[in-house]
Amino acid sequence: MLHKRKAKTISPSSRTTSAVFEPHLHADKQLLIDVDTVSVRLGNEKALEGVSFCVHTGEFIGLIGPNGAGKTTLLRVVLGLLRPTSGRVKRTYTTIGYIPQRAAQYNATVPISVREVVELGTGRRDTARVDDALRAVQMQNVADKRFNELSGGQQQRVAIAKALAAHTEVLILDEPTTGIDERSQTEFYALLRDLQQRGITIIMVSHEVDTVLSLVTRVICLNRSILYDGLPQHFEADKYLPAYYKARHLQLHHHHEEHHA
Amino acid sequence: MLEILQYSFMVRALLAGLVVAVTVPLLGSFLVARRYSLIADSLAHVSLAGVGAGLLFGLTPVFVAVPVTILGAILLEWLRQNRRISGEVSLAILMSGGLAIAVVLANFARGANTDFTSYLFGSITTTAWSDVWTLIIVAALVMMCVLGNFRALLHIAFDEDSARIAGYKVAALNYLLAALTALIVVLSLRIVGGLLMSALLVMPVITASRFARSFVQTIGYAIGFALIAVFAGLVIAFYGGVAAGGAIVLSALVLLIGAMILKG
């Protein structure tokens, strides 16, 4: 039979509410991902060129950049879904979780329950672990609902629960809050910060630059190659993302004028 | 009503129908979830080519159709995975290509044993005991494969990328699912007929999805609806003297319309 790679085992005695977070409670900074001069050509187009960076435990990396900068491509390379044309990626994590853009998920014609989605993370029937994971994202009350009956924000929380149930060490998110109302967004970001504090390493692509800057421990700005890689407080949005900055500035200016009118 | 059980061909047809009604929606749930329901139609047409060849060369049609259809399934999956041509195009090519070969071969075989129409639309009188036993053995094998890889197949059906990330052998499992579909399609030919195959695969699943709250429930309900459709269809075929496949699929359609009215 074609079975899954053996997952990390936990002793039954440690299966308490916090068990879903347990494997990550070490404080030392380990190297998890080493991206070494990666280039990707998609057809005739250079999607990525000479991209290098390392990811260590406990980091919260915001990956930003203009449309078509190769952000999703880079995520797919890191995840091993796409082989780079040149360069290599060294992975030393045990489990990685991927939350793609919302629309892509579980909205097929055939129903799937919230519990079943989270169970996909465990790879076997493990009610306790699924319940723990759902409780951790405050979704235990909707366990038996159909996944596609949930709001966008709730769906993303369930996706997080799936990653927790899989004992995910590294969590990769691609614009997770697109199309989600503002309140749910705030709650979702708070949840991410909570996960990071519990030791889960996060890499997130987002267009909401201001939010990213206030949330993450490190910013990588990409436009086919890396333009900036460093602390969020030193990132100059007007320099690296002029188009975004201009639009934002205009918007603020507009607001300002409206206010005065 | 019970008088139909006095006819041994009806007993065989009902037994075969029972097995078909359990296995087809089980596979169908995975195929519909991954938006690949037309594969059954394409494979059924390919299997008809195998039947045509069998009739022409005087071999047992099913035993020719099985390898031919499995090869067709592997080819389809290979085309899909390697993106040589898009999924729907490869389905369309195999569908009409298979039927074209089937028709030509069946024409050549004319004069020999030409019960080709019964493979197109299904028939209750032509199912032999050997057909029933073969069907039961193959169905058991298919169910074991599906249940043994249930979580992996579920993961792939709803989220292929993350199944790959989780370490499942996605390509191999996709070939497995295609091959299992091929097997069931060939073995169900006698009852449902090649031209009506995908209806039985899809309709009970869609009907079930109106009521179910989970994937497992969907499978359960779909099997229930398929059983109703198959038994109703066989009884109608017996009393009405119509093709079994047509009667079965019409029953499934009535259930689906009923569900749509009930659960808008």
Side-chain angles (χ1 to χ4, degrees):
Chain A
M1 296 281 151
L2 302 155
H3 273 304
K4 208 180 144 169
R5 199 196 296 147
K6 248 214 171 89
K8 216 177 212 176
T9 48
I10 37 163
S11 62
S13 59
S14 69
R15 205 175 286 154
T16 55
T17 310
S18 63
V20 281
F21 303 116
E22 208 138 327
H24 323 291
L25 289 178
H26 41 66
D28 54 324
K29 288 215 177 247
Q30 275 181 301
L31 179 69
L32 295 174
I33 300 166
D34 183 357
V35 178
D36 184 10
T37 48
V38 159
S39 296
V40 173
R41 296 183 75 94
L42 296 173
N44 284 326
E45 207 159 319
K46 274 185 187 155
L48 293 173
E49 225 185 335
V51 172
S52 297
F53 64 95
C54 291
V55 181
H56 293 87
T57 43
E59 283 193 292
F60 190 161
I61 299 177
L63 182 58
I64 56 178
N67 285 328
K71 302 186 291 291
T72 302
T73 306
L74 181 56
L75 292 189
R76 293 183 72 79
V77 168
V78 167
L79 287 161
L81 293 171
L82 184 69
R83 204 188 296 269
T85 317
S86 66
R88 35 186 233 126
V89 181
K90 214 157 56 184
R91 303 178 184 85
T92 41
Y93 54 76
T94 45
T95 49
I96 194 163
Y98 176 40
I99 302 185
Q101 290 189 24
R102 192 168 67 85
Q105 288 181 295
Y106 317 113
N107 284 319
T109 335
V110 179
I112 183 166
S113 71
V114 169
R115 181 177 293 282
E116 283 173 328
V117 170
V118 179
E119 254 171 16
L120 293 180
T122 64
R124 64 199 158 93
R125 200 176 184 88
D126 188 339
T127 317
R129 208 156 106 192
V130 169
D131 287 340
D132 285 348
L134 282 169
R135 215 171 294 129
V137 299
Q138 286 149 23
M139 284 283 116
Q140 66 271 34
N141 297 329
V142 298
D144 296 312
K145 277 199 168 186
R146 283 167 76 140
F147 182 81
N148 61 3
E149 281 172 2
L150 305 186
S151 72
Q154 288 176 316
Q155 290 188 349
Q156 288 305 64
R157 297 179 88 85
V158 172
I160 296 267
K162 180 193 167 204
L164 291 176
H167 298 294
T168 293
E169 216 177 337
V170 185
L171 186 60
I172 293 198
L173 306 106
D174 193 352
E175 294 184 37
T177 57
T178 307
I180 293 176
D181 67 89
E182 215 163 306
R183 209 182 116 226
S184 306
Q185 276 188 22
T186 315
E187 284 172 8
F188 187 76
Y189 287 132
L191 175 63
L192 286 185
R193 191 179 283 137
D194 186 43
L195 296 182
Q196 188 234 344
Q197 277 161 8
R198 288 163 188 263
I200 294 181
T201 308
I202 303 175
I203 305 174
M204 179 176 74
V205 165
S206 179
H207 277 303
E208 287 139 45
V209 177
D210 292 334
T211 317
V212 168
L213 293 179
S214 69
L215 197 64
V216 301
T217 60
R218 177 177 163 196
V219 170
I220 295 179
C221 181
L222 185 77
N223 196 357
R224 280 161 209 218
S225 51
I226 291 181
L227 304 179
Y228 176 90
D229 181 355
L231 292 172
Q233 47 271 41
H234 297 154
F235 181 72
E236 296 161 77
D238 53 340
K239 186 171 155 197
Y240 297 108
L241 292 171
Y244 169 82
Y245 186 77
K246 218 183 269 171
R248 176 102 187 113
H249 190 73
L250 274 175
Q251 202 183 13
L252 282 177
H253 195 67
H254 192 67
H255 265 293
H256 198 68
E257 275 181 353
E258 266 181 358
H259 214 69
H260 276 274
Chain B
M1 187 69 186
L2 279 173
E3 77 206 40
I4 63 173
L5 293 177
Q6 288 162 7
Y7 298 88
S8 65
F9 74 86
M10 258 330 261
V11 175
R12 291 195 295 270
L14 287 169
L15 209 56
L18 171 84
V19 178
V20 168
V22 172
T23 36
V24 169
L26 176 66
L27 280 173
S29 301
F30 289 101
L31 295 172
V32 176
R34 54 180 306 181
R35 300 187 170 88
Y36 210 39
S37 37
L38 279 179
I39 189 180
D41 246 342
S42 293
L43 292 180
H45 287 53
V46 171
S47 73
L48 290 172
V51 167
L55 290 172
L56 180 61
F57 299 116
L59 303 163
T60 311
V62 165
F63 290 124
V64 183
V66 165
V68 167
T69 315
I70 289 181
L71 276 178
I74 291 170
L75 175 67
L76 259 182
E77 188 52 36
W78 184 81
L79 288 169
R80 198 184 70 92
Q81 285 186 18
N82 292 284
R83 301 210 171 82
R84 296 293 151 122
I85 37 182
S86 81
E88 50 161 6
V89 174
S90 48
L91 286 173
I93 291 171
L94 231 65
M95 193 181 300
S96 39
L99 191 58
I101 295 171
V103 168
V104 170
L105 289 177
N107 280 336
F108 280 132
R110 196 183 295 277
N113 174 26
T114 52
D115 54 344
F116 189 64
T117 341
S118 74
Y119 288 96
L120 289 179
F121 304 111
S123 156
I124 44 175
T125 51
T126 50
T127 311
W129 274 115
S130 61
D131 292 337
V132 177
W133 291 122
T134 320
L135 180 59
I136 289 174
I137 291 166
V138 172
L141 181 81
V142 168
M143 288 185 48
M144 264 162 48
C145 283
V146 170
L147 297 178
N149 294 291
F150 190 83
R151 281 186 192 286
L153 291 171
L154 181 63
H155 209 151
I156 294 169
F158 282 92
D159 191 348
E160 196 168 309
D161 274 349
S162 95
R164 196 166 277 130
I165 293 162
Y168 289 114
K169 296 183 171 65
V170 172
L173 285 158
N174 279 336
Y175 281 118
L176 177 72
L177 186 64
L180 295 178
T181 309
L183 272 175
I184 280 306
V185 160
V186 174
L187 273 298
S188 316
L189 272 186
R190 270 296 163 87
I191 295 292
V192 194
L195 297 184
L196 297 160
M197 185 61 66
S198 74
L200 189 64
L201 200 115
V202 174
M203 282 183 196
V205 177
I206 302 297
T207 313
S209 70
R210 299 263 159 180
F211 301 96
R213 314 201 62 77
S214 70
F215 186 75
V216 172
Q217 251 179 30
T218 307
I219 293 177
Y221 291 173
I223 290 174
F225 288 125
L227 282 170
I228 296 171
V230 167
F231 286 136
L234 288 175
V235 170
I236 293 167
F238 176 76
Y239 286 108
V242 295
I248 290 170
V249 169
L250 274 181
S251 309
L253 186 61
V254 168
L255 288 173
L256 175 59
I257 292 170
M260 287 170 90
I261 292 169
L262 256 172
K263 289 257 173 182

